[in-house]
Amino acid sequence: MSSSSPATLLSPSDQRHLIEKLEIFKIQGRDKRGRKVLRVIGKLFPARLVSNEALNNYLVEKIFPKLEGEPFSVVYVHTDVQRSENFPGISALRSIYEAIPINVKNNLQAVYFVHPGLQSRLFLATFGRLLFSGGLYWKLKFLNRLEFLWDHVRRNEIEIPDFAYDHDEELEYRPTMDYGLESDHPRVYYGPSMDSPVSSYSMRCIA
């Protein structure tokens, strides 16, 4: 992130407060095997306001210590992530992955990638094995619909943004796009995929 970035306008404490306030990262609920779940909402990440250093520091101080000592899964909601607005960049993602303590990294069992876009699928299919060590690529499970997530995660224990449900509903009326993409990946769940810009953010409680 360059020195002219808006992130330089915020102090490290302000950046940390912003990350926490937006609840981008939240340890919440369990998966079907009883493992902790770290829920990550990609759309909420203020890429233009938060530096990679501040993000790493927040994870090291607030999130990683809560994941030590037992297996866990990650639910990453990619709905409506835009490269210029809320995507930290590949180098930042790799730096975050490399900063994860080894005792935490070894406990990571699965990453459920909800609503993967066409570009992210193609990129990970091409470079995922090279960028992420320790077998992370093979822990990725691409889920085109939320209904597939509930096969792995306890539905009544995790909050998912309304815009993700709205995206699912839109797919019912606007079919198609990437059937068969990444067919060599053993854990792809096929279904329609299309990005849908939604401006509002809220949580829908699931009973």
Side-chain angles (χ1 to χ4, degrees), residues 173-190:
Y173 301 99
R174 302 180 61 181
T176 168
M177 217 160 107
D178 57 352
Y179 286 103
L181 258 180
E182 241 184 274
S183 58
D184 63 323
H185 196 297
R187 293 180 176 84
V188 171
Y189 291 78
Y190 297 111

Side-chain angles (χ1 to χ4, degrees), residues 45 47 83 87-94:
F45 182 68
R83 183 179 180 87
F87 182 62
I90 296 300
S91 61
L93 292 179
R94 179 159 189 180

Side-chain angles (χ1 to χ4, degrees), residues 78 115-123 177-178 181 193 195:
H78 189 67
H115 294 155
L118 181 61
Q119 290 184 342
S120 60
R121 282 176 175 272
L122 292 175
F123 181 86
M177 217 160 107
D178 57 352
L181 258 180
S193 176
D195 292 325

Side-chain angles (χ1 to χ4, degrees), residues 41-123:
I41 308 297
K43 180 180 177 180
L44 298 184
F45 182 68
R48 295 183 176 185
L49 300 174
V50 174
S51 69
N52 296 341
E53 181 180 6
L55 177 59
N56 277 342
N57 288 341
Y58 175 81
L59 292 171
V60 168
E61 295 172 11
K62 299 291 187 177
I63 301 298
F64 295 154
K66 298 177 182 178
L67 297 173
E68 293 179 347
E70 63 178 292
F72 70 98
S73 300
V74 173
V75 171
Y76 169 62
V77 181
H78 189 67
T79 318
D80 203 27
V81 169
Q82 303 295 325
R83 183 179 180 87
S84 62
E85 297 294 331
N86 41 31
F87 182 62
I90 296 300
S91 61
L93 292 179
R94 179 159 189 180
S95 125
I96 291 169
Y97 178 68
E98 291 177 345
I100 301 175
I102 189 65
N103 58 332
V104 174
K105 192 178 296 185
N106 288 341
N107 286 331
L108 175 58
Q109 302 298 304
V111 178
Y112 301 108
F113 197 124
V114 180
H115 294 155
L118 181 61
Q119 290 184 342
S120 60
R121 282 176 175 272
L122 292 175
F123 181 86

